[in-house]
């Protein structure tokens, strides 16, 4: 196991895989519930033209809560939970890739960079169709829609489970066929592969730097809890321009990244590329703390019994 000063890294071969996946799904669900409202707000801010509806993150939160209630902040959430599958594929790919790359390089930065990018590639291939549908559901407002498609109101007394989802999926398929569910796939890869590839090296970099500045007895989890949000803010700032374009391609139906970029620059200028950044960082900060602390704790809880007995963590 690697030891960078006093930061210990638990690798894939040291884990009890059954515990790892069971605990991982529970942890991921808790995180998604807590940050989903800001994901919805970020998407609406990125898609709206100028400040036609919302003036910022707080303004959007208040207006959505007043007009649509708490349920409005969770539009599309049930569909979005299917990304739990991609989340588990992400961590598995990340850990296995780290293990493979370690045969050729002992550099933690290189292992994190390659593993993060590879994990994001696999995860996005699963996530994009789910994201396309859930984002269209996020755009549904009372009696209106900010996206291409509008969910038809149900005439009965009770709305069937996933009724809006089926309706949106039918409209996407009718308009674009199967390729409609992968609209913005390239833009997603150009957003999340760099984001993931940047987050992991920055995370380890910040953790190592903080470790060198703090006493040896400083808790590992405290350093990691601080490093995670710092890395998330850095990666989010670097990749937000492409994230804005990705959202507009997927929700607005633009087929070209370049045309979407040109239109955005013509309408809103360079500041348009920063839309939703504050919501993204706000959602990333608590979620990243939970992810980092939870993920490191998860790995410790998932250690093989013989390692728990023989090593101190």
């Amino acid at each position: 196991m690697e030891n960078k000063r006093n930061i210990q890294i638990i690798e894939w071969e040291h884990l009890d895989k059954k515990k790892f996946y069971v605990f991982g799904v529970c942890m991921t669900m808790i995180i998604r519930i807590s940050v989903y409202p800001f994901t919805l707000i970020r998407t609406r801010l990125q898609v709206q033209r100028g400040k036609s509806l919302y003036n910022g993150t707080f303004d959007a939160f208040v207006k959505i809560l007043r007009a649509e209630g708490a349920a409005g902040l969770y539009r599309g959430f049930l569909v979005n939970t299917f990304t739990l599958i991609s989340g588990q594929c992400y961590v598995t790919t990340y850990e296995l890739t780290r293990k493979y790359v370690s045969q050729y390089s002992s550099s933690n930065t290189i292992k994190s960079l390659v593993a993060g990018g590879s994990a994001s590639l696999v995860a996005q291939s699963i996530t994009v169709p789910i994201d396309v549908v859930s984002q269209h559901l996020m755009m549904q407002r009372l009696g209106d829609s900010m996206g291409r498609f509008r969910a038809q109101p149900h005439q009965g007394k009770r709305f069937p489970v996933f009724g809006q989802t089926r309706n949106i999926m039918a409209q996407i398929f009718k308009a674009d066929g199967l390729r409609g569910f992968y609209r913005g796939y390239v833009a997603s890869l150009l957003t999340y592969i760099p984001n993931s590839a940047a987050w992991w090296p920055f995370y380890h970099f910040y953790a190592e730097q903080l470790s060198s500045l703090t006493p040896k007895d400083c808790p590992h989890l405290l350093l990691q809890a601080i490093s995670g949000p710092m890395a998330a803010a850095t990666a989010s700032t670097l990749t937000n321009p492409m994230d804005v374009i990705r959202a507009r391609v997927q929700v607005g139906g633009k087929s070209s990244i370049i045309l979407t970029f040109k239109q955005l620059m013509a309408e809103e200028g360079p500041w348009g590329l920063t839309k939703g950044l504050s919501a993204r960082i706000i959602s990333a900060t608590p979620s990243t703390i939970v992810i980092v602390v939870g993920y490191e704790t998860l790995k410790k809880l998932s250690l093989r019994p013989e390692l728990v007995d023989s090593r101190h963590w």
Side-chain angles (χ1 to χ4, degrees):
M1 299 190 188
E2 299 183 26
N3 192 326
K4 295 282 187 177
R5 297 185 179 93
N6 66 337
I7 297 295
Q8 296 168 314
I9 300 175
I10 302 173
E11 300 289 6
W12 180 252
E13 60 269 21
H14 307 122
L15 300 176
D16 180 323
K17 308 307 185 293
K18 183 178 180 180
K19 290 182 180 178
F20 181 74
Y21 284 117
V22 172
F23 292 150
V25 169
C26 296
M27 183 191 76
T28 304
M29 178 59 77
I30 293 172
I31 293 170
R32 290 187 184 279
I33 292 173
S34 64
V35 305
Y36 189 82
F38 289 101
T39 301
L40 182 143
I41 290 170
R42 181 194 76 193
T43 304
R44 288 195 179 186
L45 289 174
Q46 290 175 336
V47 171
Q48 74 170 354
R49 302 300 177 187
K51 295 183 178 181
S52 56
L53 290 172
Y54 311 115
N55 293 320
T57 302
F58 181 74
D59 182 62
F61 180 84
V62 172
K63 286 182 177 178
I64 293 172
L65 196 60
R66 286 177 178 173
E68 305 171 49
L73 294 169
Y74 282 89
R75 290 186 183 276
F77 177 74
L78 289 179
V79 175
N80 191 263
T81 57
F82 285 99
T83 58
L84 287 172
I85 299 171
S86 66
Q88 298 310 303
C89 291
Y90 178 94
V91 296
T92 302
T93 303
Y94 176 80
E95 296 293 348
L96 289 176
T97 304
R98 276 186 62 91
K99 180 180 179 181
Y100 177 78
V101 175
S102 66
Q103 300 175 25
Y104 303 95
S105 174
S106 60
S107 170
N108 195 48
T109 299
I110 293 176
K111 287 191 288 186
S112 299
L113 182 69
V114 176
S118 301
S120 190
L121 173 62
V122 172
Q124 286 306 304
S125 297
I126 301 171
T127 299
V128 168
I130 302 171
D131 268 349
V132 168
V133 176
S134 66
Q135 285 180 141
H136 279 294
L137 290 170
M138 290 178 190
M139 295 299 102
Q140 304 305 307
R141 301 168 65 236
L142 292 179
D144 194 11
S145 173
M146 295 174 63
R148 297 171 63 201
F149 308 114
R150 177 180 173 182
Q152 300 300 316
H154 185 58
Q155 301 300 322
K157 294 183 179 180
R158 298 183 61 186
F159 204 91
V161 177
F162 290 118
Q164 282 193 336
T165 302
R166 290 198 297 268
N167 185 253
I168 290 294
M169 290 177 66
Q171 292 183 60
I172 293 173
F173 182 77
K174 182 178 180 180
D176 302 319
L178 289 175
R179 61 180 291 184
F181 294 98
Y182 270 91
R183 183 176 293 279
Y185 176 67
V186 174
S188 291
L189 295 183
L190 292 176
T191 300
Y192 291 111
I193 289 180
N195 187 83
S196 181
W199 188 90
W200 287 101
F202 274 117
Y203 164 60
H204 289 299
F205 170 77
Y206 289 136
E208 291 167 12
Q209 297 306 308
L210 288 172
S211 177
S212 67
L213 298 173
T214 55
K216 288 290 184 180
D217 58 352
C218 184
H220 300 160
L221 284 180
L222 176 61
L223 300 179
Q224 292 160 337
I226 297 173
S227 303
M230 292 174 65
T234 304
S236 295
T237 301
L238 292 173
T239 60
N240 197 73
M242 183 54 69
D243 193 42
V244 175
I245 294 171
R246 174 200 60 81
R248 292 200 169 200
V249 168
Q250 291 182 330
V251 176
K254 306 296 183 183
S255 59
S256 169
I257 294 174
I258 296 176
L259 289 178
T260 302
F261 172 75
K262 289 181 177 179
Q263 183 180 18
L264 178 63
M265 293 297 289
E267 293 178 352
E268 304 180 47
W271 285 109
L273 298 173
T274 67
K275 299 183 73 171
L277 178 59
S278 60
R280 195 176 178 194
I281 292 177
I282 289 172
S283 64
T285 299
S287 64
T288 303
I289 292 175
V290 175
I291 289 171
V292 170
V293 175
Y295 188 61
E296 297 298 334
T297 303
L298 167 66
K299 292 173 78 172
K300 291 179 181 180
L301 291 174
S302 303
L303 275 172
R304 301 206 315 266
E306 63 271 22
L307 293 176
V308 175
D309 295 336
S310 61
R311 302 293 290 268
H312 174 70
W313 296 94

